[in-house]
Amino acid sequence: MKPISNRRNFLKQTGKTVLGSLLLPQVLRSSNIGYIVDESHVKLCGHLWVYASKFPPNWDCTPVLDTVFQDMAYAGLYGVELMEVLLRPDDAVRRIANLKAKHNIKVSGSSYGVGFQMCDAQQHKKILEDIHLVVPRLAALGGETFGISVGSVNRLKTEKELDAQAHILKQVFKICQDNGIQPNLHNYTYEVENDLHDLKGTLARLPDAKLGPDLNWLIRAGVSPVDFINTYGDRIVYLHIRDQYADGTWTEYVGQGDTDFKAIAQALEKQKFSGKAAIELAFPNDFEPENPLKEDWKMSREFVQETFGW
């Protein structure tokens, strides 16, 4: 497997970016990795699922969290997107803050929703207690985004269930906003299957809700990412990027597969997307990567930079 852009092209592009930094005062250099972060552009992060996937059933990748931060800093990413399980231990803020400082990389935000069904009113008390725990801790770490998954019930949700789902989401949004964090609705397949039944039901009840779509889950649910962006682009504040081959198998790094990222980039440009984005690598079961993970992150970041201009 060969990188989508070779080292010469990358160095050439980096040289242009360095030159631009002399002219634009908002461009900041990270002394740790030498990567140029332009604060005026979309900030590209990394979601740590590929590490967490090795720790079922709770996905707590604390044992390798130092490696997570090290790999993503090496790749030149803006920040690490956590999962809520990492924020629950009492010493979470101290430990993760130390990793931020050690590797000179931000905590960009967290995803949320593993194991919950927000349409079940009986779970609301427990969910809100958890939100009151993890959101302030994320804020203490400088987190900026909170990607919320509402949970599946393996069937179409009823109108009553969608009412209950919207009721708690409204409260979660308020807690996030009170802590200076941008909440967004993150989709798996179940929110966008069946003509977006679940997502449309939420948006009908919460018309101001912001979106953080996972572009690959859209594809796997039979939804065109371009059409989705064209329809909901003014709501999108965050998104996840992952690649796959034509047969649906996930790739090792972004840019390897058959996803039409050029068309997606054009749609986002047309909508003047200015939020944040995260690469989220995911491997098939029993897959052994050919490269060190830090190189997969770097090649993915280079491809996104070349294709999207971020």
Side-chain angles (χ1 to χ4, degrees):
M1 295 180 289
K2 297 180 180 179
I4 194 70
S5 70
N6 61 37
R7 179 175 174 80
R8 181 178 298 174
N9 287 341
F10 174 61
L11 291 174
K12 181 178 178 181
Q13 180 62 41
T14 302
K16 292 178 180 178
T17 306
V18 172
L19 178 61
S21 71
L22 300 176
L23 303 175
L24 294 172
Q26 69 269 32
V27 177
L28 305 176
R29 180 190 295 275
S30 165
S31 59
N32 185 42
I33 55 178
Y35 177 60
I36 303 301
V37 178
D38 186 341
E39 296 291 340
S40 68
H41 288 175
V42 171
K43 298 176 181 69
L44 186 63
C45 314
H47 187 281
L48 49 65
W49 168 252
V50 73
Y51 304 92
S53 65
K54 303 297 184 182
F55 294 89
N58 297 322
W59 321 116
D60 183 356
C61 62
T62 296
V64 297
L65 204 53
D66 183 78
T67 300
V68 172
F69 277 75
Q70 182 178 40
D71 287 357
M72 293 194 191
Y74 169 85
L77 294 166
Y78 170 80
V80 178
E81 185 181 6
L82 306 174
M83 296 174 67
E84 73 267 24
V85 64
L86 298 169
L87 295 165
R88 290 182 182 132
D90 291 339
D91 65 342
V93 172
R94 176 187 58 79
R95 286 188 297 98
I96 297 172
N98 287 339
L99 293 176
K100 285 178 55 181
K102 177 181 178 180
H103 298 292
N104 195 20
I105 186 171
K106 295 177 180 291
V107 167
S108 60
S110 178
S111 57
Y112 185 85
V114 175
F116 289 120
Q117 288 80 39
M118 293 191 176
C119 65
D120 181 359
Q122 293 185 354
Q123 297 186 37
H124 286 186
K125 182 177 183 292
K126 183 177 181 180
I127 292 171
L128 287 176
E129 289 173 351
D130 195 47
I131 291 291
H132 279 293
L133 175 70
V134 301
V135 168
R137 290 180 177 181
L138 179 62
L141 289 166
E144 302 165 28
T145 64
F146 197 63
I148 304 161
S149 301
V150 295
S152 172
V153 291
N154 299 313
R155 55 171 171 75
L156 291 180
K157 291 173 185 172
T158 66
E159 294 299 306
K160 182 178 180 180
E161 287 172 328
L162 290 170
D163 288 342
Q165 183 167 287
H167 176 73
I168 190 170
L169 280 171
K170 186 174 182 179
Q171 297 175 74
V172 174
F173 291 170
K174 179 64 164 55
I175 296 166
C176 288
Q177 291 159 359
D178 288 347
N179 283 273
I181 292 173
Q182 172 68 71
N184 63 82
L185 297 176
H186 171 77
N187 69 274
Y188 289 94
T189 55
Y190 60 82
E191 291 97 340
V192 292
E193 291 173 327
N194 303 296
D195 191 31
L196 282 70
H197 170 81
D198 198 306
L199 181 61
K200 286 180 178 178
T202 298
L203 295 181
R205 293 161 173 81
L206 298 172
D208 295 327
K210 302 300 182 183
L211 303 182
D214 182 301
L215 303 178
N216 184 251
W217 287 129
L218 288 175
I219 292 170
R220 295 166 92 86
V223 177
S224 162
V226 171
D227 290 346
F228 188 91
I229 293 165
N230 289 339
T231 302
Y232 297 105
D234 61 338
R235 295 176 176 267
I236 298 175
V237 296
Y238 196 68
L239 53 86
H240 276 190
I241 298 170
R242 189 169 53 256
D243 200 2
Q244 68 177 43
Y245 296 109
D247 66 359
T249 303
W250 284 320
T251 62
E252 183 169 344
Y253 55 86
V254 178
Q256 236 182 342
D258 296 281
T259 306
D260 191 352
F261 285 114
K262 183 177 180 180
I264 291 170
Q266 290 173 344
L268 289 168
E269 177 69 20
K270 183 178 179 181
Q271 294 292 328
K272 296 181 172 57
F273 174 70
S274 60
K276 295 180 180 67
I279 295 166
E280 183 183 5
L281 301 181
F283 296 157
N285 292 336
D286 301 320
F287 176 80
E288 290 296 330
E290 293 191 7
N291 310 309
L293 267 177
K294 66 178 185 177
E295 299 298 339
D296 287 328
W297 285 113
K298 184 179 179 182
M299 288 187 286
S300 297
R301 197 267 301 159
E302 290 175 3
F303 175 82
V304 172
Q305 183 180 41
E306 179 179 309
T307 305
F308 291 81
W310 303 336

